Amino acid sequence: MKTAPVLDAPVLDAPVLGAPRPHDSAAWHVDGQALYLDDIAEPAGLLHAVIGLSRVAHARFPAPDLSEVAASPGVAAVLMARDVPGVNDVGPSFPGDPIFADGLVEYHGQSVFVVAAETLEQARAAAALARIDYEVLKPVLTIDEALAAQSFVLPTQVMRRGDADAALARAPRRLKGRLLIGGQDHFYLEGQIAMAIPGEGDDMHLFSSTQHPTEVQHLTARALGIADHNVVCESRRLGGGFGGKESQASQIAVIAALLAARTRRPVKLRLDRDDDMVLTGKRHDFRTDWDVGFDDTGRIEGITFELASRCGISPDLSGAINDRAMFHSDNAYFLGNATIVSHRCKTNMVSATAFRGFGGPQGMMGIEAVMDAIARHLRLDPLDVRKRNFYGGAGRDETHYGMRVENFPVPAIIRQLEASSEYAARRRAIDTFNATSRWSKRGLALTPVKFGIAFTLLRMNQAGALVHVYTDGSVMLNHGGIEMGQGLFVKVAQIVADAFGVPLDRIKNTATSTAKVPNTSPTAASSGTDLNGHAAHNAACIIRARLAAVVAAEFGVDEASIAFRAGQVVAGDRALPFVDAVRLAYSQRVQLSAAGFYRTPKIHYDYATHRGRPFLYFACGAAVAEVEIDTLTGEYRLHRADIVHDCGRSLNPAVDRGQIEGGFVQGMGWLTTEELVWDTDGVLRTHAPSTYKIPSCGDVPTALHIDFFDDVEDADGAVHKSKAVGEPPLMLGIAVFQALQDAVCAACPGDAPRLDAPATPERVLMAIAAHRARQPA
Amino acid sequence: MRDSIAFLLGDTPRTLRGVDPTMTVLEYLRGPERRCGTKEGCAEGDCGACTVVLGRPRADPGAAPGTMTYEPVNSCILFLHALDGCQLLTVEDLHVHGAKLHPVQQAMVDHHASQCGFCTPGFVMSVFALTQSAASVPDRAGINTALAGNLCRCTGYLPIVAAAKAACAAPVSRDDATTVQRLRAMRDPAPVRLAAAGTTLFVPTGVDDLVRLLAAHPDATILAGGTDVGLWVTKQHRRLPVIVSLEAVEGLDRIVLCEDRIEIGARVTLEALLPVLAGPYPAFAAMLRRFGSRQVRMRATLCGNVANGSPIGDTPPALIALGAEVRLRGAGGARTMPVEDFFLGYRQTALALGEFVERIDIPRPRMGERFHVWKVSKRFEQDISAVCGAFRLTLDGATIAEARIGFGGIAAIPFRARATEATLTGGLWHEATLASSRETLARELTPISDMRASADYRRIVACNLLTKLHAETWSPGATPALAEIAA
């Protein structure tokens, strides 16, 4: 039998901020109690839905014949475009993402209709009976085709600093190149899922595996043609998100709600893995053309980038994603004279979407390829070229979009990392190994990360929280952030526990709900803790001030002398247990609930001129990777990796370490084995883990050393001087790609074949094979 | 004949009848049992989120009486009949709610080994099974082998590896004796027939019964481990009218060590085969460690990998190179043929209606013979080969007395490279012969391009494997052994 916790027992004065506390749900994860959406007890009368997907990439079609679908056993409803009472679109910022294709399908796997039946099996069987006559049109599939056809989802953008053309013309040395960068499927372990329960009148209660409950709420209301206040969207936890449930969860939830409204029955829509990978968006793939002028030491004098990304059929979030690619085309390097052009190509493929890093990784890949190319050209260690180009020094502290780079920690991070990784000694050892090894070659690379923190869309940089203190001293915490594995809930709870000076177990996180905190931003852009932590801190401080006033009056002391620590409200030598202070306040009719709010200061940006301060601060780090390749098969293994990352004053080093480790491995996967293959008909051929290969256990070496950056004085405005850590570590994986590039160059003496990403064993071997073919027999 | 199956769910007896024979264990757990700790991540046995553990009394000679084995399996592609006579353990069985966590679970918490938590129950069960089977704390390679079938997208794995090590350092044994007694008491030797939802599934217990059933139902789907057939149901949503399972057929689970060959019965799993091959053919065993995952190998059979006729199966190239024979049996008797003759065309085999693959015979190594097999895939663990090449070379000094070469992934069927063998045979195993054999091989291959690899890559790799063979012949260890890196 469970006993009620004793809430007024004395507690040790252990700091909760900065403590490596376990994930808030760790115990429930490991014993199977944690409820994901599909685990929630199903309401009576629940229907199961299956989406009918387009079988061609581009076609017109007359209204489909769904009579056999409707007549199939167990079917309760069949809906298509004409059945949407409100707006048939779930585009997050711009229209273009129809809930159901309406006379025109634009990608293979697009939603055409949905069927709800008593069982999932019946719904699947029914969906297979649809008859759709496609009048097939020629699809635009590749970036080259899209550029030739001037097929764009949004207008081309240009950022400029200085005069790149003139600098290129006068530079002593000049190189050009092209880099192809593949996309990436999120492969969250929990697929897209939603459940809709209709209530009285227009009420609709949604459970959604979404990073953005507010958008689900608003788009559902818009599709149903009802006011937002009728819809509640709730989400306790996600089995992984990584950006894949920022905008992509909306369509799933909206379709469930449409069916629930039509049938007046609860409806669950859970995509199986194949449908999930075919129907929902992925990371953008890029084609990056570069042209760089530099001096004899490798320092860049002028550079142009022409970025072209495959956005699929609609804008979705592609505007901000491609902006972020442009913002990160400098990575950690000063580009005095730079022109960056960004094309957002429209293709007949699923709309590409947010993915951890949000365009930043693709932007960085370009400049890191340039660094490597310059070094190969000058026969220098790429690290030396990188160092020569860092921000810093007179007149070298402004980005190509006009933001000052202040307190730039990367050189110090590199110093720490070079020492901890023994870079120089290992470089020599690898050179020796490569000189004597015929079939096996090793590669080493050190790459930095400088990642801008803030939503580049200004209005998204706000957050709300709701804190209730109950009369037993327990605290209920709610905010707009989504727990998707990143440890947000425990970090925010630590902030609140610290504010009240109570143990962490007094704080309970509750499911994120649009009914508790409205008009929230997505949990994205690494901002979850910065925004929601601040908002929750604000709410807790409001209540704390009220409690302090009550206790100060009781003790007859000044409010300023009141402190909250170790479960006590303390003033001088007098102390009151927290719970007694709460009861005292309640008895005096003082409100013990507060809503908190936060808006990010200082940021501004002018999209017309591409000038401003889009980021509050930069989160930085660096990684060294060492790989070994088999030059006969192209296979490779990561031997060792060393990372130094700046988390500011970490709120929870265990959680932050997990983000660094996991982000690095996810970034490595993106650039190595995770290959999305579309055929010439625009059909995705890699739509399950049997064909799409994320890293597995054996891909991660035991020798993965992670250190936090020692010197953490720069932490502009982040909560308790912590720093965002969700996305930046993904880009540490670029070190693995560059190490493979280094190994390939070692296998091709006198030559420097460029690798494209992902550097699959095939790409590695083909680069070497092409070199061998060029050699005289 | 029974129309029901019986098993222990945790410690609770369950008898099922009238159930859909192709319902998966995962569907059963999440549906009728409302045990939602076990998750569906892919429904194809590739991610391990659905991992559960099957306990059964140890039957191997030398096993202490009253002890159990605990096998991690993918419940998403496992049909219910496989539970008959077993104990099914899920994440909910390791501890009772409100009580302390099981040491494996506690280790996962202590090492921060869960983030989103969705894959976690599967990892917990894989680690639990490892703690029950490992004689000592496994090294990193041993842990990789145990966890290769569980995908995690959040952590980067190292915290899970640390938790696994900690859990293996202090394993907690279960009350095996009681479980064995209970399972013995439940045991019913009668064959099973389950019929519902348009499918009839037979579980015969003797070879003669099996032959009779297949004669009566020549169109029946023959089911061994189900790691391929399971996907016909969960991914292709096919209805299988008649299924005949080999699960309980006596004798087919035997490995017979003869003087000149090893006989491997139809029901022998790859996990059972692995240690047997480690002595005579370490390269074969090393490749098998990368075949599927432990969860897959616990169910998948060598004979099934041949019988399903896939051009990308990993064992046929090795079997072809080794000169293995396949023995087919039907109502008309038994017949034997070389493995390469079994494959007629894409997914077409020599198996006649009413026949099944009874066993495969692998010859033992002879003097002067060397055997290599290399699997080349996009991901090192748990992937399907782009190319799998196997070579048996018999040398007389520097002269090649005999060469046998099998390839997978480069034609519509597992392929014996006879022209290349002819080029090699009788030649001196020097650079010139290597060059000419590479040319012959490039000509006789007909690889395709697909999502795993391009035809060009497959051709180059296949030829390079000859170079690897040459290098390894004259200076063993000259080419990278990537399996040994990274631990």
Side-chain angles (χ1 to χ4, degrees), chain A residues 337-422:
Chain A
N337 296 293
T339 300
I340 294 156
V341 179
S342 160
H343 304 296
R344 295 99 199 262
C345 301
K346 175 171 177 170
T347 52
N348 288 108
M349 298 162 86
V350 60
S351 196
T353 193
F355 195 135
R356 199 176 195 174
F358 206 73
Q362 295 95 318
M364 287 182 198
M365 279 290 286
I367 190 69
E368 292 303 340
V370 170
M371 290 296 152
D372 192 78
I374 293 173
R376 305 283 163 205
H377 177 80
L378 296 173
R379 299 181 190 282
L380 295 170
D381 186 322
L383 178 58
D384 293 329
V385 175
R386 290 186 165 100
K387 286 178 180 171
R388 281 167 201 162
N389 283 286
F390 283 148
Y391 282 101
R396 293 173 56 87
D397 67 343
E398 192 188 85
T399 66
H400 52 288
Y401 46 90
M403 178 171 168
R404 290 279 301 282
V405 179
E406 296 161 316
N407 305 320
F408 182 59
V410 168
I413 286 173
I414 302 288
R415 275 195 296 279
Q416 186 179 334
L417 181 59
E418 273 192 88
S420 68
S421 69
E422 301 170 289

Side-chain angles (χ1 to χ4, degrees), chain A residues 212-249:
Chain A
H212 200 349
T214 287
E215 192 163 272
V216 167
Q217 175 203 20
H218 293 177
L219 291 174
T220 298
R222 199 173 77 179
L224 287 170
I226 60 177
D228 290 348
H229 66 193
N230 296 295
V231 182
V232 173
C233 181
E234 180 178 329
S235 192
R236 171 59 183 87
R237 65 172 59 78
L238 273 51
F242 315 114
K245 296 171 181 173
E246 182 174 350
S247 65
Q248 303 298 294

Side-chain angles (χ1 to χ4, degrees), chain A residues 37-368:
Chain A
L37 208 163
D38 199 35
D39 306 334
I40 297 170
E42 293 178 349
L46 180 79
L47 295 169
H48 298 267
V50 166
I51 299 178
L53 307 178
S54 159
R55 295 177 190 284
V56 294
H58 196 198
R60 296 194 184 286
F61 65 100
D65 176 4
L66 301 179
S67 53
E68 280 187 50
V69 181
S72 189
V75 169
V78 183
L79 302 181
M80 55 182 138
R82 67 172 182 229
D83 302 311
V84 178
V87 179
N88 178 31
D89 202 297
V90 288
S93 347
F94 305 91
D97 295 291
I99 301 166
F100 302 112
D102 193 358
L104 176 72
V105 293
E106 293 194 276
Y107 73 94
H108 177 267
Q110 189 173 4
S111 153
V112 178
F113 68 94
V114 68
V115 53
E118 302 293 336
T119 69
L120 183 58
E121 217 176 15
Q122 288 174 332
R124 263 193 199 125
L129 301 174
R131 272 188 260 167
I132 303 170
D133 296 321
Y134 295 110
E135 181 195 320
V136 175
L137 305 171
K138 187 174 160 44
V140 174
L141 295 174
T142 65
I143 288 172
D144 292 349
E145 286 169 12
L147 288 173
Q150 294 286 292
S151 169
F152 300 119
V153 294
L154 291 165
T156 294
Q157 299 292 311
V158 182
M159 287 181 191
R160 275 196 187 87
R161 185 185 199 282
D163 186 342
D165 289 341
L168 281 169
R170 68 173 178 260
R173 293 166 184 266
R174 188 163 172 179
L175 285 171
K176 294 182 188 186
R178 169 173 288 184
L179 172 67
L180 302 179
I181 308 164
Q184 185 178 25
D185 189 89
H186 305 84
F187 209 84
Y188 28 62
L189 265 287
E190 178 208 39
Q192 303 274 358
I193 180 170
M195 181 163 70
I197 303 175
E200 58 202 32
D202 288 335
D203 286 3
M204 187 62 66
H205 195 109
L206 284 167
F207 295 87
S208 168
S209 183
T210 176
Q211 294 173 237
H212 200 349
T214 287
E215 192 163 272
V216 167
Q217 175 203 20
H218 293 177
L219 291 174
T220 298
R222 199 173 77 179
L224 287 170
I226 60 177
D228 290 348
H229 66 193
N230 296 295
V231 182
V232 173
C233 181
E234 180 178 329
S235 192
R236 171 59 183 87
R237 65 172 59 78
L238 273 51
F242 315 114
K245 296 171 181 173
E246 182 174 350
S247 65
Q248 303 298 294
S250 301
Q251 183 179 24
I252 310 308
V254 168
I255 289 175
L258 288 167
L259 285 166
R262 169 66 73 94
T263 60
R264 309 303 301 162
R265 289 172 65 175
V267 175
K268 183 187 281 185
L269 173 52
R270 177 175 71 88
L271 300 187
D272 67 24
R273 182 59 62 182
D274 302 83
D275 286 357
D276 187 300
M277 290 185 73
V278 166
L279 175 71
T280 69
K282 299 147 210 329
R283 188 188 291 285
H284 293 66
D285 52 341
F286 269 62
R287 193 193 84 181
T288 297
D289 289 292
W290 50 267
D291 185 351
V292 65
F294 51 99
D295 67 16
D296 293 343
T297 71
R299 187 176 268 206
I300 291 175
E301 299 194 345
I303 192 165
T304 64
F305 279 112
E306 187 172 8
L307 313 178
S309 76
R310 198 149 57 159
C311 299
I313 65 155
S314 73
D316 183 69
L317 304 168
S318 290
I321 290 165
N322 284 279
D323 288 348
R324 191 168 275 271
M326 298 170 81
F327 288 134
H328 290 82
S329 291
D330 60 341
N331 193 9
Y333 313 108
F334 174 67
L335 305 180
N337 296 293
T339 300
I340 294 156
V341 179
S342 160
H343 304 296
R344 295 99 199 262
C345 301
K346 175 171 177 170
T347 52
N348 288 108
M349 298 162 86
V350 60
S351 196
T353 193
F355 195 135
R356 199 176 195 174
F358 206 73
Q362 295 95 318
M364 287 182 198
M365 279 290 286
I367 190 69
E368 292 303 340

